[in-house]
Amino acid sequence: MRPANPAWRLLTVALVLLIGAGLYWATIKVNYQWRWDRVPEYLLITGGEDVLSPVDGTVAVQGKQITLTPLLGGEPQTFPEIDVVQVSDGEIVFANNTLGKKSGVTPGPLLVGLWVTLQISAWSLVFALILGLIAGLGRVSANPAARDMAAIYVELIRGTPLLVQMFIVYFFLGTVLNLSGFVAGVAALSVFTGAYVAEIIRSGIEGVAKGQMEAARSLGMSHWQAMRHIVLPQAFRRSLPPLAGQSINLIKDSSLVSIMALTDLTKAGREIVASTFSPFEVWFTVALMYLLLTGLLSIYVRKLEKKMAHD
Amino acid sequence: MTKTIAPDAEVLIDAREVSKRYPNGTQALTKVSLQVRRGEVVCIVGPSGSGKSTLLRTINAMESISSGEVTMDGISVHHPKTNLNEVRTHAGMVFQQFNLFPHKTALENVMLAPMQVLKMPVEEARERAGKLLEKVGLAEKAQSRPSQLSGGQQQRVAIARALAMQPRVMLFDEPTSALDPEKVGEVLEVMKQLALEGMTMVVVTHEMGFARAVANRVVFMDGGELVYQDAPEAFFSNAQHERLRSFLGQVLPH
């Protein structure tokens, strides 16, 4: 390729600046108060964290440790390492009273949300890969029932919106089976992503030369042995780049679990916006945090692709 | 050159009136009967599309048949109750496109089936694989991946891989057709060595020189039928049959 004229790069920069300036101008028009200075505390809390009493009870103080005996009976709870104790020994406290403060840096709501998002994505990815492998093998199976079941699964899931599936899992299955928001979220995301993984695996298997299966079978290996030792390892290598792309989608799709009683990164953002009325700063920050996750993943994927091209 | 086999050697492979018709109506084989005795080397020649590869592949049931029967050591290969995986361990197959496993080294390619199918311990499988690679002249390539080997080397590894199961018969499906001309000799040399050691071989080939020098019997197929078979001298010098004569006229140097 001929090296492009650097003037085009300048045009790109100019256009981006222009769009940014336009946005800024628009916020001035609506008298928006930018308060970027408040964003760091959504990420990290440095002022110390209040420790609240979960129930009504009597407290016993031993140095930095507080023991709470519930008034209505039950196991006493201990709260170790309270740096600033704000109750005295023998005092009766009510639920949500402050027991004391922990000093030091604690993660703010956005970082906590990011951690929840990461956990949901990771668990969903594991189950999506398992589901997708089973369904993908079903798609190429010689058994018509397995083939049909896999096809129905893939078509049903790919033909309906994820949000609707979430509503079904959370409000219907979640109520019937009494699932927590986390379990329901992981279930919905795994089932959804699994359908796409199944198609990736199917095309990976179909991309392995027919002669590979033939050679393995001619040596006396069973269909399953040939799949496991010969076809699947090669199919996985071909499937890695699209699978990585699908994991990036999974991270983004996980923002929909915020409809469940589950404080992921998006829900955390919504809660902060509701109490602070600074939507632009918060949503830009949230978007950047997602971008960081997906960006890191795609850099890793690009490295992986390069490495596989060499092998 | 050609080894002699006892005329009373037992029949190892017996194909009787084998026919194969594809669902689209194409008739690939029509009532083909072929017997191969233990220790015999049979070359199958014929124009492309004559059904010679299909016939070879019915012997280890890589290809199903519509009617007739194929037995190997008295076991009916295509009978529904036959354990195909077991039958196939007794018939080593070598393919035109080599079909080595690209994600494994040459040594691992040879070791895999004995370990997986025969449940052989790793050490024993490695030792056997090493000896076989030595036999095909590739001991120093044991740790190479197929992509690092030439076509001729890949095909020799493929032969070693098939031999690792200690088969009773070796089936070669145009083993040199995908090779550069200068690589054909090294593969044929390995095959000739095998033949001299007494291996039973069925070889689909276009290499008339090999057929003439090594085979005990040459079989001519055309249009899904077995047209003519004879010992090589008679086959190549005394072509009474018209279709055979015209085929030989095309493939033999004038």
Side-chain angles (χ1 to χ4, degrees):
Chain A
M1 213 168 72
R2 207 157 51 90
N5 190 332
W8 290 112
R9 282 283 147 74
L10 280 176
L11 182 66
T12 308
V13 173
L15 285 173
V16 169
L17 286 177
L18 195 71
I19 293 169
L23 275 174
Y24 184 67
W25 179 75
T27 57
I28 287 175
K29 285 285 278 184
V30 297
N31 287 324
Y32 188 76
Q33 290 282 316
W34 288 99
R35 305 191 62 177
W36 281 106
D37 55 307
R38 307 244 339 235
V39 168
E41 72 185 72
Y42 305 142
L43 294 171
L44 287 174
I45 298 166
T46 48
E49 184 191 15
D50 285 343
V51 178
L52 303 179
S53 165
V55 291
D56 303 347
T58 320
V59 291
V61 181
Q62 289 158 310
K64 285 190 162 187
Q65 179 171 306
I66 297 173
T67 310
L68 176 73
T69 313
L71 284 179
L72 296 172
E75 287 293 300
Q77 302 176 36
T78 51
F79 300 89
E81 285 166 43
I82 308 292
D83 295 300
V84 186
V85 177
Q86 291 175 330
V87 287
S88 45
D89 205 19
E91 195 179 321
I92 290 176
V93 293
F94 299 106
N96 288 329
N97 280 15
T98 308
L99 297 175
K101 261 188 185 200
K102 276 187 174 180
S103 67
V105 180
T106 47
L110 285 187
L111 270 191
V112 173
L114 183 72
W115 176 236
V116 172
T117 289
L118 259 175
Q119 278 178 298
I120 292 177
S121 303
W123 279 111
S124 302
L125 185 62
V126 170
F127 288 115
L129 287 177
I130 295 170
L131 259 177
L133 178 61
I134 294 169
L137 284 171
R139 292 280 274 167
V140 297
S141 165
N143 183 327
R147 237 173 19 230
D148 290 348
M149 286 302 291
I152 290 170
Y153 163 57
V154 168
E155 293 307 325
L156 270 186
I157 296 300
R158 295 205 309 171
T160 51
L162 175 55
L163 188 57
V164 174
Q165 292 169 22
M166 292 248 177
F167 281 130
I168 293 173
V169 169
Y170 185 54
F171 291 109
F172 179 65
L173 290 183
T175 316
V176 173
L177 302 174
N178 200 15
L179 301 178
S180 73
F182 189 86
V183 172
V186 168
L189 276 173
S190 314
V191 170
F192 178 78
T193 306
Y196 289 85
V197 170
E199 285 302 273
I200 291 170
I201 298 222
R202 177 185 64 85
S203 88
I205 291 173
E206 285 173 351
V208 176
K210 221 177 113 226
Q212 292 290 309
M213 178 57 97
E214 279 197 343
R217 295 303 304 272
S218 81
L219 288 162
M221 292 168 79
S222 68
H223 179 84
W224 176 239
Q225 281 177 323
M227 261 297 171
R228 182 164 126 58
H229 295 285
I230 305 304
V231 178
L232 280 182
Q234 296 180 57
F236 263 125
R237 285 167 64 95
R238 306 170 140 268
S239 304
L240 261 183
L243 280 179
Q246 195 58 48
S247 341
I248 290 175
N249 282 343
L250 172 61
I251 291 176
K252 294 186 290 178
D253 292 337
S254 77
S255 66
L256 288 177
V257 299
S258 60
I259 63 148
M260 304 175 176
L262 196 58
T263 310
D264 73 322
L265 181 52
T266 302
K267 182 79 175 294
R270 221 157 64 190
E271 283 172 358
I272 296 169
V273 169
S275 59
T276 62
F277 306 109
S278 34
F280 289 176
E281 297 90 325
V282 172
W283 288 129
F284 281 143
T285 308
V286 167
L288 262 174
M289 290 168 81
Y290 275 112
L291 200 60
L292 196 76
L293 276 189
T294 55
L296 284 176
L297 197 53
S298 51
I299 287 171
Y300 174 70
V301 172
R302 211 160 304 154
K303 274 203 179 143
L304 207 68
E305 279 174 0
K306 264 203 192 124
K307 185 170 167 274
M308 293 205 341
H310 282 300
D311 283 355
Chain B
M1 189 70 234
T2 307
K3 68 196 161 132
T4 49
I5 55 156
D8 58 343
E10 58 179 315
V11 172
L12 184 61
I13 294 167
D14 191 2
R16 280 190 300 272
E17 305 215 320
V18 171
S19 291
K20 176 165 178 89
R21 196 183 182 85
Y22 286 107
N24 66 12
T26 315
Q27 189 79 28
L29 295 174
T30 310
K31 293 201 168 175
V32 177
S33 295
L34 177 71
Q35 288 193 335
V36 180
R37 291 172 186 279
R38 202 178 287 283
E40 204 177 8
V41 176
V42 174
C43 282
I44 307 177
V45 303
S48 43
S50 58
K52 49 193 194 305
S53 284
T54 309
L55 174 64
L56 185 81
R57 291 162 56 89
T58 62
I59 295 174
N60 61 348
M62 297 304 285
E63 203 82 59
S64 64
I65 61 177
S66 311
S67 65
E69 191 182 25
V70 181
T71 60
M72 187 194 300
D73 258 347
I75 295 166
S76 178
V77 174
H78 292 269
H79 192 278
K81 287 201 174 137
T82 301
N83 180 349
L84 272 184
N85 295 336
E86 223 250 277
V87 167
R88 285 174 180 153
T89 62
H90 302 311
M93 189 163 223
V94 176
F95 300 86
Q96 183 176 354
Q97 298 297 339
F98 330 133
N99 297 347
L100 287 186
F101 308 134
H103 57 304
K104 297 192 175 290
T105 64
L107 192 73
E108 288 167 345
N109 264 275
V110 183
M111 287 167 68
L112 184 69
M115 283 169 59
Q116 290 302 324
V117 180
L118 307 178
K119 309 294 174 206
M120 186 183 280
V122 186
E123 283 312 316
E124 201 183 335
R126 182 173 295 133
E127 198 188 320
R128 182 185 281 190
K131 277 185 188 152
L132 285 168
L133 285 179
E134 201 170 316
K135 182 187 173 85
V136 298
L138 289 171
E140 78 283 8
K141 296 287 183 188
Q143 299 307 326
S144 302
R145 301 255 168 179
S147 57
Q148 298 165 317
L149 300 174
S150 74
Q153 291 170 331
Q154 288 190 53
Q155 194 61 300
R156 286 189 279 155
V157 173
I159 292 172
R161 178 177 69 178
L163 288 173
M165 297 299 286
Q166 300 188 323
R168 296 171 193 170
V169 57
M170 285 285 283
L171 310 173
F172 293 85
D173 191 359
E174 303 200 22
T176 57
S177 297
L179 294 176
D180 292 334
E182 76 272 20
K183 307 289 186 194
V184 169
E186 61 191 66
V187 172
L188 291 182
E189 196 48 50
V190 169
M191 290 168 61
K192 194 183 281 180
Q193 198 53 46
L194 262 185
L196 289 175
E197 287 168 14
M199 175 61 78
T200 312
M201 291 163 60
V202 184
V203 186
V204 170
T205 187
H206 294 291
E207 294 293 329
M208 296 304 151
F210 177 83
R212 194 196 294 263
V214 181
N216 298 105
R217 185 151 46 101
V218 187
V219 172
F220 174 60
M221 286 189 68
D222 191 17
E225 291 171 32
L226 195 159
V227 178
Y228 180 77
Q229 52 179 322
D230 211 334
E233 305 83 48
F235 186 92
F236 287 106
S237 60
N238 172 28
Q240 325 97 315
H241 205 284
E242 199 194 327
R243 277 147 88 187
L244 174 58
R245 202 166 56 227
S246 94
F247 172 72
L248 289 178
Q250 285 163 17
V251 296
L252 290 180
H254 299 286

